[in-house]
Amino acid sequence: ATSGQPEIATDKSSTGIVWNDSREGNEEVYFARVNNVGSHILNENRVTNTTGHSITPAVVSDGKDYGIFWSEGSTDIYFSKVSKNGQILVDSNHLVSGSGYSVHISAVWNGSEYGVTWWDVRDNTGCPIGGNPRGRAYFMRVSKDGEKIGSEVPVPTELSSALTGAYRPLIVWTGTHYGIFWTDQRESGTCYGNEHNIYYAKLDQNGNKILGDIKLIRPSSSGNIHIQSVTWDGENFGIAYAHGVLYFAKMSPSGDTLISDVIFADEGYSNYPKIAWDGSNYVVAWSSNKDGDNEIYFKKLNTLGNIIGDELRITNQSGDSSFPSNLIVDNGEYKIAWLDQRDDTIYEVYFAQGQ
């Protein structure tokens, strides 16, 4: 059995971790919790128990409990709420009945409810579902107890031309509105294509689109780039994206590209960059094979994307360490999970935190 797709959230006193795991044959979602020194205070609990595959989980803390979203069978989206001690408070609320794919969920808590986005192909026209369907990011509001509020709303005005377009849409809450970002292949114009760009849309707290679709302006627009992570620094969005090397960009809430294509990692093959804001600087973590096996690395960037200080290698064991989760800053501590093969050929979930 192997683990996949770890994500983390903090309730300020501890960190919740979710992932999907095939130990029972099919993929199921599990939850665990560690304290602020990184020790287990809740061993892994199985959240789902289905005959299909439960994948691409997202976890969000409302300050007390954890909301967990996942894709069931790649077509439907469900929600469960879990207490800090692992008790299921809301069990498998069915939120989205998909057509084709409803996957790659990103969710945030805005202080009173959840904002959720995902990749959806219900509007696909003319491209095979099993190949490269046309799709886009959708958005929905979800109450604290897991009830859908209003309708599911399409975010981009245009469909993207392949499954990898609008791949893993990302949502950020700024305190007043949502920012949704995605990788888009609309310029490719067919069911197949390799022209990727990063797009942004602004939604109010009720899910009304008030700005977008706006493309990140890059010095060289060609390249198979994929957005991997976005953070809010209190004034602008910091964006991390990848194309073999890793890039930083900054966009204003009005959609102005302030900085783009600033390289912060270019040794070996680097991927899965994750970004957060620590109150003064951006922090980034990623995986790279520059030292042989894939390992997890960390560094700081200033507000212009320039590297500050020394790079830190987080993992040092044999075997691959890759696929990092989202990166969180909490009370001056940096927190991250990843998949690791140090104990076997299968991937297991590991967690680290530090200042």
Side-chain angles (χ1 to χ4, degrees):
T2 191
S3 302
Q5 299 170 318
E7 290 292 314
I8 64 175
T10 179
D11 60 25
K12 302 303 181 183
S13 64
S14 60
T15 302
I17 308 171
V18 297
W19 68 96
N20 49 254
D21 193 304
S22 62
R23 71 185 70 179
E24 301 295 336
N26 58 313
E27 298 284 350
E28 302 288 356
V29 175
Y30 287 78
F31 171 79
R33 195 162 62 95
V34 297
N35 62 18
N36 280 340
V37 295
S39 299
H40 262 109
I41 49 178
L42 175 69
N43 289 327
E44 53 202 63
N45 276 17
R46 184 169 167 178
V47 177
T48 61
N49 190 358
T50 70
T51 57
H53 292 298
S54 306
I55 60 172
T56 68
V59 62
V60 184
S61 171
D62 64 11
K64 179 184 177 184
D65 302 308
Y66 290 91
I68 300 173
F69 299 84
W70 72 91
S71 174
E72 188 64 39
S74 298
T75 61
D76 292 46
I77 295 175
Y78 284 78
F79 169 89
S80 286
K81 185 160 75 170
V82 181
S83 71
K84 290 182 180 181
N85 64 10
Q87 179 184 1
I88 302 294
L89 304 174
V90 177
D91 190 8
S92 300
N93 266 13
H94 193 179
L95 297 174
V96 176
S97 296
S99 174
Y101 294 106
S102 297
V103 292
H104 303 306
I105 303 158
S106 178
V108 292
W109 176 252
N110 73 4
S112 60
E113 64 187 44
Y114 302 99
V116 187
T117 189
W118 69 97
W119 163 244
D120 197 297
V121 301
R122 70 183 69 183
D123 306 314
N124 174 63
T125 56
C127 300
I129 291 291
N132 290 276
R134 294 166 65 85
R136 53 184 165 186
Y138 264 71
F139 169 87
M140 66 179 168
R141 300 164 60 199
V142 177
S143 75
K144 185 174 183 177
D145 293 322
E147 299 296 331
K148 185 165 56 180
I149 303 170
S151 303
E152 302 153 24
V153 180
V155 179
T157 55
E158 305 233 1
L159 297 177
S160 184
S161 59
L163 181 60
T164 51
Y167 202 66
R168 301 178 189 273
L170 301 168
I171 189 168
V172 178
W173 174 248
T174 69
T176 59
H177 66 273
Y178 297 105
I180 297 181
F181 293 80
W182 66 96
T183 304
D184 198 298
Q185 288 180 304
R186 68 183 66 182
E187 282 88 353
S188 295
T190 66
C191 299
Y192 303 90
N194 209 31
E195 184 176 348
H196 298 69
N197 287 289
I198 294 169
Y199 277 79
Y200 159 72
K202 180 179 180 179
L203 279 64
D204 68 18
Q205 62 182 1
N206 295 318
N208 300 307
K209 187 175 177 180
I210 53 180
L211 190 64
D213 306 348
I214 297 177
K215 182 166 70 173
L216 179 75
I217 305 303
R218 302 174 55 226
S220 175
S221 61
S222 63
N224 186 19
I225 64 164
H226 284 271
I227 190 169
Q228 296 284 340
S229 187
V230 182
T231 192
W232 175 248
D233 68 11
E235 295 182 354
N236 300 293
F237 298 103
I239 306 167
Y241 52 105
H243 177 47
V245 300
L246 306 184
Y247 297 96
F248 167 83
K250 188 157 67 170
M251 179 178 276
S252 75
S254 60
D256 298 315
T257 298
L258 306 176
I259 301 170
S260 66
D261 279 15
V262 178
I263 296 173
F264 65 84
D266 61 357
E267 296 179 85
Y269 183 79
S270 300
N271 209 347
Y272 310 111
K274 302 303 169 75
I275 189 168
W277 175 252
D278 71 3
S280 302
N281 300 293
Y282 298 103
V283 289
V284 288
W286 70 97
S287 67
S288 176
N289 66 359
K290 67 177 182 176
D291 294 321
D293 291 332
N294 282 308
E295 304 290 353
I296 306 296
Y297 297 85
F298 172 93
K299 65 176 58 169
K300 292 186 177 183
L301 311 176
N302 67 16
T303 56
L304 299 177
N306 299 316
I307 297 167
I308 302 172
D310 295 329
E311 177 180 288
L312 172 66
R313 179 170 162 178
I314 296 175
T315 57
N316 288 283
Q317 303 296 321
S318 61
D320 271 355
S321 303
S322 191
F323 304 104
S325 72
N326 52 317
L327 176 63
I328 287 179
V329 183
D330 179 35
N331 293 323
E333 295 276 338
Y334 306 112
K335 303 182 177 186
I336 195 166
W338 67 92
L339 298 181
D340 201 297
Q341 290 181 313
R342 70 181 65 184
D343 297 321
D344 204 338
T345 58
I346 64 170
Y347 280 114
E348 297 177 309
V349 178
Y350 276 73
F351 172 83
Q353 64 182 44
Q355 295 180 337

